[in-house]
Amino acid sequence: MDVNYMSIDTGTAADFRSGFVCIVGKPNTGKSTLMNHILGQKISITSPKPQTTRYAIKGIWNDEKLQVVFVDTPGYLKPRYEMQKRMIKIWSDAFKDVDLVIFMTDILSFPSDYDKEVLEILSTFRNQKIAVFNKVDLRPQCERDKYQDGLIGDFDSVHFVSARTGDGIQEMLDDLVSRIPYHEPYYDEDQLSDLPMRFFAREVIREGIFHILEQELPYASAVLIDKYTDTDDKAVIDAVIWLERQSQKIILIGSQGKTLGKIRAYAEQQLTTFVGKPVQVHLWVKINPNWRKKNTSLKELGFD
Ligand code: GDP
Ligand code: MG
């Protein structure tokens, strides 16, 4: 993992815990929701549509004598497109050096073929592992032993939670913390995330596209931040939305630019709340046929 190690003079690290935690599991199981619940801040992206998180995003949980760095991995996907191959690489790279892996699954669909596949791969990793069955709010009377029997490989512990209601989360966190090694903090405590703002802006615009447009179009889009200008009283973001076809461009822009306007308004509102000062977003729409299959395009878009 690429860690920007900051040297912080903390004296002895004997009573301070710090480490990396990676959350893996099928898209839509609630990984981002869990992380946001823990961090109490919107850092990663939640959406009812799968595959909205394409990157290993780190969020940092700072508490008294504790710092946990979360890696919210992209979903594990079969390599149908070149992009998905890269996602798998990001996914497996994220395991290197992590102190704990959380296997997260959805109680409604466990054990899916997908779960089994992920569990098989996980069983080859030597990290500490905990299994988390999420969405117990939707099936409160379930037989927990049966679920546990469906796991493959060794787990250090198993939890049943609801990332939505918070049920079972505290017990899970207590367990998680006890598995984090004694180590001085990896990051400056004021840092909420090591995510550059540009990257965050890109994710928020992508989120806007997902919220405002239906079906296939969001998956055919990519966002590139051209310019990010930050001054004392405002921030200005110039971004390009890439699409594969002219027909998609017409839909994305909408009649009299209304759809694009909504995406822009959404992004501005989200970013303004996050940054705490006015954010202006300027969007351009461009066509780049088959960007998903082109290596050079993928690189430019930051997928490597
Ligand atoms: P990810 O793809 O694993 O990051 O999943 P998300 O965090 O984006 O969640 C996918 C969907 O499941 C969203 O609509 C969430 O609101 C919903 N969700 C997440 N956790 C829970 C939960 O504990 N209970 C219920 N009922 N829904 C949840
Ligand atoms: Mg997610």
Side-chain angles (χ1 to χ4, degrees):
M1 182 184 298
D2 184 24
V3 175
N4 291 321
Y5 192 89
M6 299 193 57
S7 81
I8 302 164
D9 186 12
T10 51
T12 171
D15 63 345
F16 197 97
R17 291 177 191 266
S18 189
F20 290 83
V21 174
C22 181
I23 308 175
V24 297
K26 199 167 115 170
N28 254 6
T29 48
K31 299 179 295 296
S32 301
T33 308
L34 174 71
M35 208 174 82
N36 294 338
H37 185 103
I38 297 167
L39 300 173
Q41 271 270 5
K42 191 170 169 162
I43 292 181
S44 185
I45 290 178
T46 63
S47 155
K49 295 189 178 108
Q51 298 182 40
T52 46
T53 308
R54 277 182 185 165
Y55 301 81
I57 302 170
K58 282 170 267 184
I60 303 179
W61 175 26
N62 287 302
D63 210 338
E64 220 181 307
K65 301 191 189 290
L66 173 77
Q67 181 176 82
V68 179
V69 183
F70 283 98
V71 188
D72 182 30
T73 61
Y76 171 72
L77 299 158
K78 296 200 186 281
R80 254 199 306 155
Y81 299 112
E82 187 61 28
M83 184 180 76
Q84 289 174 329
K85 275 191 216 152
R86 279 158 194 263
M87 289 174 71
I88 290 171
K89 187 173 181 305
I90 292 168
W91 193 76
S92 44
D93 281 352
F95 285 100
K96 282 193 215 134
D97 306 325
V98 300
D99 298 290
L100 178 74
V101 175
I102 298 177
F103 166 72
M104 193 155 176
T105 185
D106 178 334
I107 205 153
L108 296 182
S109 61
F110 183 84
S112 62
D113 289 348
Y114 188 105
D115 286 323
K116 288 179 195 157
E117 206 172 312
V118 171
L119 285 167
E120 289 288 353
I121 295 167
L122 280 186
S123 67
T124 67
F125 290 112
R126 283 168 45 215
N127 314 57
Q128 292 188 89
K129 276 173 277 174
I130 65 175
V132 174
F133 290 90
N134 189 33
K135 307 194 187 181
V136 286
D137 56 300
L138 300 176
R139 202 170 276 175
Q141 306 298 339
C142 69
E143 284 181 62
R144 298 187 172 190
D145 289 354
K146 280 198 182 145
Y147 282 98
Q148 216 155 319
D149 291 345
L151 291 170
I152 301 164
D154 292 330
F155 280 87
D156 293 287
S157 60
V158 180
H159 295 272
F160 291 80
V161 307
S162 169
R164 178 169 285 178
T165 66
D167 201 31
I169 298 288
Q170 193 53 53
E171 293 88 329
M172 192 210 90
L173 291 180
D174 290 345
D175 177 36
L176 183 157
V177 169
S178 74
R179 299 181 189 285
I180 301 297
Y182 289 106
H183 194 282
E184 57 197 75
Y186 286 94
Y187 292 89
D188 189 327
E189 290 209 13
D190 296 331
Q191 235 174 322
L192 186 59
S193 167
D194 69 341
L195 216 60
M197 269 312 293
R198 275 172 171 266
F199 171 75
F200 186 69
R202 177 162 67 181
E203 290 292 283
V204 168
I205 295 166
R206 271 182 54 70
E207 190 180 55
I209 298 170
F210 269 90
H211 277 292
I212 287 146
L213 287 155
E214 293 297 314
Q215 293 142 10
E216 293 300 311
L217 203 140
Y219 296 108
S221 69
V223 177
L224 186 66
I225 302 298
D226 243 7
K227 211 161 112 193
Y228 184 89
T229 319
D230 199 14
T231 61
D232 281 348
D233 56 348
K234 70 170 181 189
V236 182
I237 294 160
D238 292 351
V240 181
I241 300 172
W242 284 18
L243 293 167
E244 293 174 320
R245 290 193 300 275
Q246 182 64 24
S247 57
Q248 295 164 341
K249 183 172 173 175
I250 291 163
I251 296 168
L252 188 98
I253 292 173
S255 92
Q256 294 171 331
K258 275 195 193 126
T259 310
L260 191 65
K262 279 187 199 162
I263 295 166
R264 173 188 161 149
Y266 177 88
E268 286 185 341
Q269 190 241 317
Q270 294 285 314
L271 289 165
T272 297
T273 309
F274 188 82
V275 183
K277 63 183 169 190
V279 177
Q280 281 172 17
V281 176
H282 301 144
L283 299 175
W284 283 266
V285 183
K286 290 185 184 167
I287 310 289
N288 182 9
N290 299 318
W291 65 264
R292 273 195 266 205
K293 287 164 195 152
K294 282 187 190 161
N295 260 309
T296 49
S297 311
L298 288 162
K299 247 191 208 118
E300 248 177 276
L301 292 164
F303 280 109
D304 60 350

